[in-house]
mmCIF file of all heavy atoms in Angstrom:
data_model
loop_
_atom_site.group_PDB
_atom_site.id
_atom_site.type_symbol
_atom_site.label_atom_id
_atom_site.label_comp_id
_atom_site.label_asym_id
_atom_site.label_seq_id
_atom_site.Cartn_x
_atom_site.Cartn_y
_atom_site.Cartn_z
ATOM 1 N N ILE A 225 -49.821 200.276 113.494
ATOM 2 C CA ILE A 225 -49.149 200.998 112.425
ATOM 3 C C ILE A 225 -48.734 200.043 111.317
ATOM 4 O O ILE A 225 -48.752 200.376 110.138
ATOM 5 C CB ILE A 225 -47.920 201.751 112.977
ATOM 6 C CG1 ILE A 225 -48.393 202.952 113.790
ATOM 7 C CG2 ILE A 225 -47.003 202.211 111.856
ATOM 8 C CD1 ILE A 225 -49.192 203.953 112.985
ATOM 9 N N ILE A 227 -50.087 196.907 110.594
ATOM 10 C CA ILE A 227 -51.057 196.078 109.904
ATOM 11 C C ILE A 227 -52.472 196.620 109.802
ATOM 12 O O ILE A 227 -53.284 196.018 109.121
ATOM 13 C CB ILE A 227 -51.125 194.672 110.517
ATOM 14 C CG1 ILE A 227 -51.459 194.731 111.983
ATOM 15 C CG2 ILE A 227 -49.866 193.928 110.310
ATOM 16 C CD1 ILE A 227 -52.850 194.603 112.342
ATOM 17 N N THR A 230 -57.068 203.188 105.267
ATOM 18 C CA THR A 230 -57.471 203.435 103.900
ATOM 19 C C THR A 230 -56.243 203.511 103.015
ATOM 20 O O THR A 230 -55.249 203.984 103.445
ATOM 21 C CB THR A 230 -58.201 204.743 103.805
ATOM 22 O OG1 THR A 230 -58.980 204.862 104.960
ATOM 23 C CG2 THR A 230 -59.129 204.780 102.626
ATOM 24 N N LYS A 242 -68.326 200.749 106.125
ATOM 25 C CA LYS A 242 -68.825 199.760 105.185
ATOM 26 C C LYS A 242 -69.768 198.809 105.905
ATOM 27 O O LYS A 242 -69.530 198.445 107.058
ATOM 28 C CB LYS A 242 -67.681 198.958 104.565
ATOM 29 C CG LYS A 242 -66.833 199.722 103.562
ATOM 30 C CD LYS A 242 -65.772 198.820 102.948
ATOM 31 C CE LYS A 242 -64.937 199.558 101.920
ATOM 32 N NZ LYS A 242 -63.904 198.679 101.308
ATOM 33 N N SER A 262 -77.504 202.738 105.505
ATOM 34 C CA SER A 262 -77.982 203.541 104.387
ATOM 35 C C SER A 262 -77.410 204.958 104.439
ATOM 36 O O SER A 262 -77.310 205.627 103.407
ATOM 37 C CB SER A 262 -79.512 203.592 104.378
ATOM 38 O OG SER A 262 -80.002 204.201 105.557
ATOM 39 N N PRO A 283 -69.727 195.557 117.130
ATOM 40 C CA PRO A 283 -68.344 195.659 116.653
ATOM 41 C C PRO A 283 -68.149 194.932 115.330
ATOM 42 O O PRO A 283 -68.651 193.827 115.128
ATOM 43 C CB PRO A 283 -67.540 195.004 117.778
ATOM 44 C CG PRO A 283 -68.500 194.091 118.470
ATOM 45 C CD PRO A 283 -69.821 194.792 118.385
ATOM 46 N N LYS A 299 -45.239 188.354 116.386
ATOM 47 C CA LYS A 299 -45.258 187.895 117.785
ATOM 48 C C LYS A 299 -43.876 187.458 118.253
ATOM 49 O O LYS A 299 -43.580 187.513 119.453
ATOM 50 C CB LYS A 299 -46.252 186.736 117.938
ATOM 51 C CG LYS A 299 -47.708 187.147 117.875
ATOM 52 C CD LYS A 299 -48.621 186.027 118.328
ATOM 53 C CE LYS A 299 -48.519 184.808 117.433
ATOM 54 N NZ LYS A 299 -49.470 183.732 117.859
ATOM 55 N N LYS A 353 -35.608 196.758 100.808
ATOM 56 C CA LYS A 353 -34.778 195.775 101.499
ATOM 57 C C LYS A 353 -33.499 196.387 102.058
ATOM 58 O O LYS A 353 -32.970 195.938 103.076
ATOM 59 C CB LYS A 353 -34.432 194.630 100.551
ATOM 60 C CG LYS A 353 -35.568 193.638 100.306
ATOM 61 C CD LYS A 353 -35.111 192.486 99.439
ATOM 62 C CE LYS A 353 -36.227 191.456 99.260
ATOM 63 N NZ LYS A 353 -36.546 190.748 100.520
ATOM 64 N N ARG A 366 -64.929 209.424 113.801
ATOM 65 C CA ARG A 366 -66.010 209.260 114.771
ATOM 66 C C ARG A 366 -67.004 210.394 114.572
ATOM 67 O O ARG A 366 -66.646 211.506 114.183
ATOM 68 C CB ARG A 366 -65.487 209.229 116.199
ATOM 69 C CG ARG A 366 -64.528 210.345 116.538
ATOM 70 C CD ARG A 366 -63.905 210.142 117.911
ATOM 71 N NE ARG A 366 -62.865 211.126 118.187
ATOM 72 C CZ ARG A 366 -61.565 210.940 117.966
ATOM 73 N NH1 ARG A 366 -61.139 209.786 117.476
ATOM 74 N NH2 ARG A 366 -60.688 211.885 118.234
ATOM 75 N N LEU A 382 -91.630 206.159 94.177
ATOM 76 C CA LEU A 382 -90.413 206.965 94.285
ATOM 77 C C LEU A 382 -90.060 207.189 95.751
ATOM 78 O O LEU A 382 -90.868 207.724 96.512
ATOM 79 C CB LEU A 382 -90.590 208.310 93.587
ATOM 80 C CG LEU A 382 -89.385 209.268 93.673
ATOM 81 C CD1 LEU A 382 -88.179 208.691 92.953
ATOM 82 C CD2 LEU A 382 -89.750 210.640 93.118
ATOM 83 N N GLU A 392 -65.576 213.858 113.153
ATOM 84 C CA GLU A 392 -64.247 214.266 113.600
ATOM 85 C C GLU A 392 -63.251 213.228 113.094
ATOM 86 O O GLU A 392 -63.469 212.029 113.268
ATOM 87 C CB GLU A 392 -64.173 214.357 115.122
ATOM 88 C CG GLU A 392 -62.811 214.820 115.621
ATOM 89 C CD GLU A 392 -62.747 214.898 117.133
ATOM 90 O OE1 GLU A 392 -63.534 214.178 117.792
ATOM 91 O OE2 GLU A 392 -61.912 215.646 117.653
ATOM 92 N N ALA A 403 -35.571 201.899 112.328
ATOM 93 C CA ALA A 403 -35.021 202.643 113.460
ATOM 94 C C ALA A 403 -36.106 203.418 114.196
ATOM 95 O O ALA A 403 -36.105 203.480 115.435
ATOM 96 C CB ALA A 403 -33.924 203.597 112.979
ATOM 97 N N ILE A 413 -44.038 209.757 118.791
ATOM 98 C CA ILE A 413 -43.834 210.118 117.385
ATOM 99 C C ILE A 413 -45.145 210.021 116.621
ATOM 100 O O ILE A 413 -45.514 210.920 115.855
ATOM 101 C CB ILE A 413 -42.758 209.207 116.749
ATOM 102 C CG1 ILE A 413 -41.389 209.480 117.370
ATOM 103 C CG2 ILE A 413 -42.703 209.416 115.238
ATOM 104 C CD1 ILE A 413 -40.315 208.509 116.920
ATOM 105 N N LEU A 443 -84.343 201.306 90.286
ATOM 106 C CA LEU A 443 -83.239 202.146 89.846
ATOM 107 C C LEU A 443 -82.924 203.121 90.963
ATOM 108 O O LEU A 443 -83.836 203.687 91.584
ATOM 109 C CB LEU A 443 -83.604 202.908 88.569
ATOM 110 C CG LEU A 443 -83.917 202.059 87.326
ATOM 111 C CD1 LEU A 443 -84.356 202.963 86.178
ATOM 112 C CD2 LEU A 443 -82.706 201.236 86.928
ATOM 113 N N GLY A 456 -58.362 219.640 107.827
ATOM 114 C CA GLY A 456 -56.971 220.050 107.959
ATOM 115 C C GLY A 456 -56.086 219.236 107.032
ATOM 116 O O GLY A 456 -56.381 219.069 105.851
ATOM 117 N N VAL A 483 -78.033 193.031 92.548
ATOM 118 C CA VAL A 483 -77.747 194.461 92.495
ATOM 119 C C VAL A 483 -76.477 194.719 91.690
ATOM 120 O O VAL A 483 -75.514 193.952 91.761
ATOM 121 C CB VAL A 483 -77.558 195.040 93.916
ATOM 122 C CG1 VAL A 483 -77.461 196.572 93.867
ATOM 123 C CG2 VAL A 483 -78.672 194.596 94.844
ATOM 124 N N ASP A 498 -60.051 204.193 86.550
ATOM 125 C CA ASP A 498 -60.370 202.837 86.125
ATOM 126 C C ASP A 498 -61.848 202.524 86.337
ATOM 127 O O ASP A 498 -62.393 202.724 87.428
ATOM 128 C CB ASP A 498 -59.514 201.833 86.897
ATOM 129 C CG ASP A 498 -59.708 200.418 86.394
ATOM 130 O OD1 ASP A 498 -59.442 200.180 85.205
ATOM 131 O OD2 ASP A 498 -60.136 199.557 87.184
#
Side-chain angles (χ1 to χ4, degrees):
I225 287 299
I227 57 94
T230 322
K242 288 183 179 180
S262 62
K299 287 192 297 182
K353 284 184 177 292
R366 49 188 173 266
L382 178 64
E392 182 180 25
I413 293 173
L443 298 176
V483 188
D498 186 60

